C-alpha cells in the first residue's frame, strides 16, 4: 500500500517560486546549508518544474516562475510581485553566524540580530530571489507575565 504522506514530508512545506530557480538552489546550499533532494527540469526550456531541498529536518519545494501555467497568466515570483508578505522562519544554533553566512552568500540584511523580548535572538534577511527569511536562536525562556509586561512596555514606547 502506498503511504499517503511520503517519508520526510510531514508538516508544512514551503513552496517558493524562484527566478531563476537553479541559482536559488545554489544560493540556499551556500547560505543555509540546504541539500538538494531532487530536481525536475522542463525538457524544452530547461526551467525547473519542481525541486526539493532539505534544510535541517525540514523540506523546501521550489520551482521557476511559470506564468504560462497559471490561470491568470501572470508571473508570481517576489520580484514580479514587488515583494512578498511571507517570511520563512528558521531556528538555528547561532543566529548571528547564520545571518552572516546568508549575507556572504548574497542575502541582504533587513534587520540585524537583536535579543528580543520573547526570548529569541532574531534577525531578517532577504534572499536574492525576493524571499524573506527570519533566523532566530532561542536564548531564554520567558513567562507569560514577562511577555505581557514586555508587550505593555512596547506600546508605551
Amino acid at each position: 500500500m502506498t503511504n499517503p504522506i511520503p517519508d520526510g514530508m510531514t508538516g508544512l512545506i514551503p513552496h517558493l517560486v524562484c527566478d531563476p530557480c537553479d541559482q536559488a538552489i545554489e544560493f540556499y546550499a551556500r547560505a543555509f546549508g540546504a541539500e538538494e533532494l531532487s530536481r525536475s527540469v522542463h525538457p524544452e526550456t530547461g526551467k525547473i518544474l519542481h525541486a526539493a531541498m532539505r534544510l535541517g529536518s525540514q523540506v523546501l519545494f521550489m520551482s521557476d516562475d511559470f506564468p504560462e501555467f497559471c490561470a491568470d497568466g501572470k508571473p508570481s515570483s517576489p520580484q514580479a510581485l514587488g515583494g512578498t508578505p511571507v517570511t520563512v522562519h528558521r531556528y538555528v544554533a547561532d543566529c548571528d553566524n547564520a545571518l552572516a553566512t546568508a549575507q556572504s552568500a548574497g542575502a541582504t540584511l533587513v534587520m540585524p540580530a537583536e535579543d528580543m523580548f520573547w526570548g529569541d535572538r532574531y534577525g531578517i534577511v532577504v534572499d536574492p530571489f525576493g524571499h524573506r527569511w527570519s533566523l532566530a536562536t532561542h536564548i531564554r525562556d520567558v513567562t507569560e507575565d514577562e511577555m505581557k509586561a514586555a508587550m505593555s512596555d512596547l506600546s508605551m514606547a
Side-chain angles (χ1 to χ4, degrees):
M1 182 172 171
T2 301
N3 185 353
I5 301 172
D7 291 340
M9 300 293 171
T10 57
L12 298 175
I13 301 173
H15 191 161
L16 305 179
V17 174
C18 300
D19 188 22
C21 190
D22 60 340
Q23 291 179 19
I25 290 169
E26 294 171 16
F27 171 82
Y28 295 144
R30 287 190 320 272
F32 304 128
E35 170 194 3
E36 184 176 341
L37 300 176
S38 64
R39 181 188 301 209
S40 299
V41 178
H42 191 282
E44 294 172 14
T45 67
K47 290 172 66 174
I48 296 176
L49 295 164
H50 178 79
M53 298 192 80
R54 182 170 309 285
L55 279 86
S57 63
Q58 301 300 303
V59 174
L60 171 70
F61 289 164
M62 303 163 53
S63 69
D64 269 303
D65 200 355
F66 284 95
E68 62 271 27
F69 297 143
C70 296
D72 63 5
K74 296 179 182 175
S76 60
S77 72
Q79 298 103 318
L81 297 174
T84 178
V86 175
T87 299
V88 180
H89 183 80
R90 286 190 71 207
Y91 277 102
V92 294
D94 182 342
C95 174
D96 295 271
N97 186 53
L99 289 167
T101 300
Q103 281 184 269
S104 69
T108 301
L109 185 66
V110 173
M111 181 183 152
E114 295 180 33
D115 292 350
M116 302 308 248
F117 69 89
W118 59 83
D120 290 351
R121 184 151 178 85
Y122 177 92
I124 302 172
V125 294
V126 173
D127 70 32
F129 313 95
H131 296 285
R132 292 173 58 96
W133 294 78
S134 59
L135 303 171
T137 301
H138 189 68
I139 55 174
R140 67 183 181 90
D141 293 329
V142 179
T143 68
E144 188 175 333
D145 288 341
E146 290 172 322
M147 183 79 71
K148 285 179 184 176
M151 288 187 293
S152 177
D153 289 344
L154 285 177
S155 64
M156 304 286 281

